[in-house]
Amino acid sequence: MTTLLPRAGARPPGRGPRTAARRRERLTALGMVSPAVLLLLVFFVIPVVLAFALAFTSARLISPTPAHFVGLRNFTLLFQDPVFFRSLLNTAVFAAVVVPVQAGLALALALLVNTKVGGTNFFRTVYFVPVVTSMVVISIVWMFLYQKTGLVNHLIDTFSLGHLHGPDWLNDPSTALPAIIFMSVWQGVGFHMVIWLSGLQTIPADLHEAAAIDGADRWARFRHVTWPGLRATRTFVLITITIDALRLFTQVNVMTQGGPLDSTTTVVYQAVHTGYDQQQTAYASAISLVFFVLVLAVSLVQRFLTREKD
Amino acid sequence: MATTPTPAPGPRRRTLRRIPGHLLRSALALLFVFPVVFMLISSFKPDQQIFADLGSIKAFLPVGQLSLDNYTAVFDRVPAGRFLLNSIVISAVTVVLGIVVNSLAAFALSRMRWPGRRLLLVLIIATLIVPFETFALPLVWWVNKLPWLELNGFHLALTEGWLDTYRVQILPFVANAFSVFLFHQYFQSIPKELDEAARMDGASWFGIYRRIVMPLSGPAVATVAILTFLPMWNSYLWPLMVVQDENLRPVMVGIQYFFQLNVSWGQIMAYSTMITVPVLALFLAFQRSFINSIASSGVKG
């Protein structure tokens, strides 16, 4: 085989410059990925490994004595702690209500906004305002709205013509969690509306037209065209709402600090409360692991339930 | 309308049928913006006015005694300007570093040939299944142990612990698996022939990244900038745990601290407005990119 490349010393023809270029390409690539890889190692991999390791020790945030191995002690303590069970229950209730309600309302909003009449963009933007607003600010503003003499109760008063009087929402153990649930759905529904909308837009318009020509009414078209077309979107919406619901923290920390009477404490709130306020890093790591197992279980189960059934 | 040229029954009936839908959409629009409007309007009112207006539509109208008193009171009571500056610095630095670090990694992963690149991409994307809350508390413990080289006068000193610094609020959020993924997806759509042609002309890989690929990646840069900026501006859990020093406090921790001082509601609304309106203004100015960026986090599944 003849080569057009210049001979370089005793090296086989053509290989020399190419290997050098390859090596340079490899080194440059390593240089380019290394900042990201290094940062992910320090701020992701090591802390995740630590979450597993510290959960079996006596580590405290600031401690004169070094942490030592304590086996399953943190977990036995955890599963005897009634407040932890309360936080698991509250988190489960929150997720069980928020997931279907928020997913359903978001889909309803998407269908309502997705019209040919125009204004889609306007309404989409308006419904999205709470999504880009900080949850801390939203929680503070809603604390004012939820007061005994706040705006929400004024509205209830006005619309029931004075027959109904709202409670002191956030200070009543029976209404604090529902109040937080309502506000959270209100805040997050715009996000999932946008996800549903992008799903709706992937369904070809001629499918709807064909169904309409065949005499299908609105419900039949939704049932047989829209719904099957949203399969991938559905999985994503369910998984993200569920994981977001399990992460419930900010609203609780700002509005109720877990109270009244632990009626709004959550898993993440407990982790922060014990790990940061009480500096029990090891115990908080154990809570974080339970949280992670929950998240993992939920996404695996949902992926399984919504898998392609072909 | 009287000027409608063809009063055919079809279109008009259709217009009539659209009215309930429009009413519903508009009513919902009110439901989604009323707290923000209330916050904005109340920030200009003294407390007794806020409470007096609650029972009527006046709560949402700029009527009565309006002033900037609440705003000046906020600045008198807490270093709100400092909090704003901190958040601007922290968000801006994270956005810039995040764009550089993640696009560099994505460039090497998508356009260069080296062993292990596919595995590394899979590993990076796999990190997305672990929520931050899983390792947030071990991370506090860990950053409290991390060393740092500090220049004291003329000699370097090794210090321990990153609590109460800017870097602890920035560096953990620079490398972002989702940003790498977004850049990677986008870079795949840029023809590789461009690289080859540039290589023929003697361009270096870094030159290709800087002069060819990045200038063509405006939309990806915008998406990553928005998806980094919003959570950084709104970040709360992390700075709550790692920042005690008032001089380093970002806005969201600052407002909670302010709130606990038992100040008047008008002042709280003024502070809330100050930290919300800039973001809302950005959102309204670039709403299409904002919504599309955030919706793009919906395609990762």
Side-chain angles (χ1 to χ4, degrees), chain B residues 7-230:
Chain B
R12 183 182 289 173
R13 204 180 304 141
R14 212 181 297 153
T15 318
L16 279 176
R17 244 193 310 162
R18 276 172 195 157
I19 289 178
H22 260 311
L23 279 178
L24 189 57
R25 279 188 282 271
S26 308
L28 285 165
L30 289 180
L31 176 69
F32 283 107
V33 294
F34 87 91
V36 175
V37 174
F38 176 76
M39 170 189 83
L40 183 70
I41 296 295
S42 303
S43 72
F44 299 106
K45 293 178 181 174
D47 270 27
Q48 62 273 36
Q49 178 96 45
I50 297 176
F51 284 101
D53 289 350
L54 267 187
S56 69
I57 191 74
K58 279 196 276 182
F60 303 103
L61 298 174
V63 290
Q65 295 173 263
L66 303 176
S67 73
L68 289 173
D69 289 355
N70 290 325
Y71 288 87
T72 48
V74 170
F75 285 98
D76 286 345
R77 301 198 65 157
V78 284
R82 178 81 201 200
F83 299 166
L84 277 166
L85 188 71
N86 288 338
S87 275
I88 292 170
V89 169
I90 292 162
S91 317
V93 174
T94 313
V95 167
V96 172
L97 288 179
I99 288 170
V100 174
V101 166
N102 297 312
S103 65
L104 271 175
F107 178 84
L109 287 166
S110 72
R111 304 187 84 82
M112 297 172 74
R113 292 176 31 162
W114 47 286
R117 64 183 194 283
R118 292 222 174 77
L119 178 68
L120 185 62
L121 182 68
V122 170
L123 287 177
I124 288 178
I125 290 173
T127 66
L128 287 170
I129 60 162
V130 185
F132 178 67
E133 287 80 356
T134 307
F135 56 93
L137 287 140
L139 186 57
V140 177
W141 184 87
W142 171 234
V143 294
N144 189 37
K145 302 253 182 292
L146 279 179
W148 187 256
L149 274 177
E150 216 147 277
L151 194 64
N152 271 335
F154 288 103
H155 58 271
L156 281 171
L158 199 66
T159 56
E160 196 196 76
W162 284 29
L163 299 185
D164 275 330
T165 55
Y166 280 121
R167 64 178 179 273
V168 78
Q169 302 185 66
I170 295 172
L171 290 181
F173 308 100
V174 168
N176 182 302
F178 192 58
S179 301
V180 173
F181 171 73
L182 282 174
F183 275 123
H184 184 269
Q185 294 293 95
Y186 198 85
F187 291 167
Q188 295 284 351
S189 70
I190 300 173
K192 293 221 166 82
E193 290 76 41
L194 290 176
D195 299 14
E196 280 152 30
R199 297 285 304 155
M200 293 292 185
D201 293 341
S204 68
W205 284 105
F206 188 74
I208 295 171
Y209 161 80
R210 206 168 68 96
R211 296 213 180 76
I212 297 174
V213 170
M214 283 312 270
L216 289 172
S217 303
V221 171
T223 299
V224 168
I226 289 169
L227 290 181
T228 313
F229 171 76
L230 258 193

Side-chain angles (χ1 to χ4, degrees), chain A residues 14 47 56 60 87 94 102 125 144 177 195 202 211 213 216 234 255 260 276 278 301 304:
Chain A
F56 301 95
R60 295 182 59 87
S87 66
F94 183 83
Q102 187 168 324
T125 306
F144 183 81
L177 191 61
I195 309 276
T202 60
I213 290 166
R234 215 150 58 213
M255 300 174 95
Y276 177 68
Q278 301 172 356
V301 166
F304 177 73

Side-chain angles (χ1 to χ4, degrees), chain A residues 25 42 112 127 186 253 276, chain B residues 25 31 113 142 236 244:
Chain A
E25 181 170 359
V42 176
L112 190 67
Y127 299 170
W186 171 86
N253 199 52
Y276 177 68
Chain B
R25 279 188 282 271
L31 176 69
R113 292 176 31 162
W142 171 234
Y236 172 69
Q244 299 295 314

